[in-house]
Amino acid sequence: MTMGTAVPAEPHRPRMPPHRLRRLVSRALKRPELGALGATIFVFVAFGLTAGGSGLFSVLGITNFLQVSAQLGILAAAVSLLMIGGEFDLSLGSMIGFSGIVIGLCVTEFGLPLWVGILAAFAAAILVGTANGILVMRTNLPSFIVTLAGYFVLRGLSLAVTRTLTGRTQIPYITKGSDEPWVIWLFGGKFGTGLFQWLGNMGVIPLRADGVPIVQGLPMSIAWWLVITALATWVLVRTRFGNWIFAVGGDLQAARNVGVPVARVKILLFVATACSAALFATIQVLESGSADTLRGTQKEFEAVIAAVIGGNLLSGGYGSAIGAMFGSLVFGTVEMGIFYTGIDSDWFMVFLGLMVLIAVLFNNYVRRKATEGR
């Protein structure tokens, strides 16, 4: 270095001002997904430490817990919108069983094509959802009461009609001999088979003795989960209808005063929830090839749990579909994690109860902080 040459000073790196940092933290706290994201990270870390060698995080284990999460997530996405709108649907589980029976009877008893049976199931879901919404709006009864009645009516219809027509409570061989493979693939097939075969050939994932990868593809339920969640999120954050959902769940009278079509919004939300149950039932029927009158039992509660873990308030007006997606992922990971680690499955119910309580307390805290920051 030449004598007298000045040494250039290091460039000054400005630090983030405290008030800006507080603003960022406050903005993060206002996101309903925050608690669910934290719970997801915690669950993954916990099972990574306790079940790392059990196969839970192998390609097969990941596929298994994603499939469980996806099926619940389809319901939770619709339920989250309904909860944001300030309502509940306890007929959801019975709607799953009823939709599956509709598909099964149309195909096995009436000789209709599979796609017609699926359309009939969705038509039934639209009728049930519309009836629930109209009854809630016309009678001013709590949706809890109206849909609880629907829960018993649908379950009873499924049992009575199936026993009358078939003498059983199950309908087997629905997809046997079907000449509609595209319908079966769309709802009950797998995607990414070529990619998984390539990964197997490259030695990334294990191959069976016959050269087929141990996981041949991801279930279509995962694709439906992602699509439904993306659609629900787009509706909530990018459309006027999404603003209406938050409005009717936050302050019903204020929403009416500013011209929000409250009845139409709530009826459409009930229809969407019933249709999610029909989609869930369609996936189950085409994956298993059968229908059962008892399918969907307690799914209404599991969907609410996933939505609550995802940051949706029980009082309405606050939440997100992405949060419900994380809540479903927590649910599926814990359920399969307990199975892989060999822990008594009874503890899973204990975990769910504690998670709901913690999630509600955390969501109320976040909502209070968000309100104070306005």
Side-chain angles (χ1 to χ4, degrees):
M1 181 182 297
T2 306
M3 290 292 294
T5 303
V7 178
E10 291 186 5
H12 176 65
R13 297 179 181 177
R15 295 182 178 178
M16 183 180 293
H19 68 277
R20 187 178 177 185
L21 180 60
R22 285 195 298 269
R23 192 183 306 124
L24 289 175
V25 172
S26 176
R27 188 180 302 172
L29 282 174
K30 293 179 182 180
R31 298 302 308 167
E33 305 92 353
L34 179 65
L37 178 60
T40 303
I41 295 172
F42 172 79
V43 165
F44 271 74
V45 171
F47 279 109
L49 295 174
T50 60
S54 66
L56 176 63
F57 293 106
S58 67
V59 64
L60 182 59
I62 292 172
T63 302
N64 286 336
F65 73 67
L66 283 180
Q67 184 174 18
V68 173
S69 302
Q71 292 188 357
L72 179 61
I74 291 170
L75 301 176
V79 167
S80 66
L81 266 62
L82 184 64
M83 287 178 62
I84 294 170
E87 304 294 347
F88 292 93
D89 188 351
L90 295 184
S91 66
L92 187 70
S94 296
M95 189 71 234
I96 293 171
F98 185 74
S99 296
I101 292 302
V102 169
I103 296 172
L105 291 178
C106 284
V107 174
T108 61
E109 296 297 319
F110 305 126
L112 298 173
L114 189 56
W115 66 269
V116 174
I118 294 171
L119 287 181
F122 276 93
I126 292 172
L127 287 175
V128 170
T130 302
N132 282 337
I134 290 175
L135 284 172
V136 168
M137 297 310 300
R138 291 287 178 87
T139 63
N140 289 323
L141 289 172
S143 56
F144 176 89
I145 299 299
V146 172
T147 59
L148 182 62
Y151 166 88
F152 288 107
V153 170
L154 289 173
R155 192 67 77 186
L157 276 175
S158 299
L159 288 165
V161 172
T162 307
R163 280 178 174 162
T164 300
L165 294 178
T166 69
R168 302 185 300 269
T169 59
Q170 298 176 334
I171 304 176
Y173 310 121
I174 295 174
T175 58
K176 185 178 181 179
S178 173
D179 57 355
E180 301 166 278
W182 64 273
V183 178
I184 297 175
W185 174 83
L186 183 61
F187 296 99
K190 298 179 183 296
F191 68 96
T193 52
L195 173 62
F196 278 82
Q197 184 64 60
W198 178 80
L199 291 173
N201 294 337
M202 295 295 292
V204 178
I205 60 177
L207 293 174
R208 299 188 321 205
D210 57 359
V212 176
I214 191 171
V215 174
Q216 300 173 36
L218 296 177
M220 283 301 295
S221 57
I222 296 175
W224 280 106
W225 177 33
L226 297 176
V227 169
I228 296 298
T229 301
L231 179 61
T233 301
W234 176 77
V235 169
L236 279 177
V237 303
R238 295 292 184 183
T239 69
R240 181 170 61 174
F241 188 77
N243 292 332
W244 288 350
I245 294 174
F246 282 107
V248 299
D251 191 327
L252 189 65
Q253 193 55 49
R256 281 198 178 100
N257 292 340
V258 297
V260 174
V262 172
R264 191 200 317 169
V265 170
K266 296 215 173 192
I267 290 171
L268 287 175
L269 290 176
F270 277 108
V271 169
T273 305
C275 285
S276 74
L279 176 58
F280 182 100
T282 302
I283 290 170
Q284 276 198 332
V285 167
L286 296 192
E287 283 184 347
S288 65
S290 64
D292 192 319
T293 55
L294 296 181
R295 280 197 184 148
T297 301
Q298 292 191 346
K299 287 298 177 184
E300 60 277 359
F301 299 114
E302 293 178 5
V304 169
I305 288 170
V308 169
I309 293 174
N312 293 273
L313 291 184
L314 296 172
S315 56
Y318 184 81
S320 78
I322 293 178
M325 180 183 73
F326 283 122
S328 302
L329 185 57
V330 169
F331 187 100
T333 305
V334 172
E335 182 175 356
M336 295 308 299
I338 288 177
F339 170 78
Y340 271 88
T341 54
I343 300 173
D344 190 339
S345 60
D346 292 339
W347 288 103
F348 177 60
M349 304 302 293
V350 176
F351 170 82
L352 286 184
L354 292 175
M355 280 297 297
V356 170
L357 181 60
I358 293 171
V360 170
L361 292 173
F362 182 80
N363 292 342
N364 287 337
Y365 170 79
V366 170
R367 179 62 185 272
R368 186 170 63 253
K369 288 295 182 182
T371 304
E372 291 173 358
R374 289 178 182 174

